[in-house]
Amino acid sequence: MKRTLVLLPLALALGMAQGVGFSGKLSTAFGLRFSDLSIPTQEVNFALTASYQLDDAELSAELQAGPLGVRLGEAYARVTLGPVDLAAGNLLVSTGRTDLFSPEDAFNPKNLARPLADPKALKVPVPAVHLTYYPDPEGNLTVDLLYSLTFTPSTPPQ
């Protein structure tokens, strides 16, 4: 965590010098206990994203602060080489297509310490390489290859 906090001012200074785009999201939530209508927990979440884009490349990093502490979110480098997209870094990858939850979406581990949170917020980024190949020029067919550098188990509920 100390490395993240030390690198953040350096990244901000470099970003302002080179034209990096910044965006952020601040959200708050509370819980309501129906038995006595009390509010047991309140929380505030903050996410700061820095990104830099070239013609065929992108660098992006996200710093998240919330009730579980400060952590590095998704941080990756992506390059497009003709019909191939290559991304490497701390990735969040969604597989399968449904509205809320996909049983096929098993690449990223889940942090189930707060099981009632938004399903997207439960996913933990992992160090990985993601290669996407588009053999059809219209984009009707894609071939995805995923390789995680380490195994990260899901965190069980407390």
Side-chain angles (χ1 to χ4, degrees):
M1 185 166 108
K2 288 183 180 180
R3 284 189 303 207
T4 304
L5 294 178
V6 169
L7 291 176
L8 181 62
L10 179 63
L12 288 172
L14 181 63
M16 294 196 185
Q18 299 295 325
V20 171
F22 289 97
S23 64
K25 183 171 90 172
L26 179 67
S27 63
T28 183
F30 67 93
L32 180 64
R33 191 169 39 218
F34 292 110
S35 60
D36 57 359
L37 296 178
S38 64
I39 300 174
T41 60
Q42 294 182 2
E43 66 181 51
V44 175
N45 296 304
F46 177 70
L48 175 67
T49 304
S51 61
Y52 182 70
Q53 294 196 356
L54 297 170
D55 292 336
D56 294 334
E58 172 188 6
L59 296 172
S60 181
E62 180 181 53
L63 183 67
Q64 300 173 343
L68 300 178
V70 177
R71 66 182 181 139
L72 181 66
E74 199 172 14
Y76 60 87
R78 181 182 317 263
V79 65
T80 302
L81 305 167
V84 175
D85 285 343
L86 177 65
N90 227 20
L91 297 176
L92 283 173
V93 179
S94 295
T95 56
R97 294 187 183 182
T98 61
D99 290 336
L100 184 62
F101 175 75
S102 173
E104 298 173 356
D105 194 10
F107 185 74
N108 291 96
K110 312 282 188 288
N111 184 354
L112 299 172
R114 298 171 42 235
L116 298 178
D118 178 28
K120 283 185 159 182
L122 295 177
K123 294 174 72 171
V124 177
V126 293
V129 176
H130 183 196
L131 180 99
T132 305
Y133 174 60
Y134 303 97
D136 183 19
E138 286 85 35
N140 296 328
L141 178 67
T142 60
V143 178
D144 286 316
L145 297 173
L146 298 167
Y147 178 72
S148 178
L149 305 174
T150 60
F151 172 74
T152 306
S154 292
T155 306
Q158 296 178 350

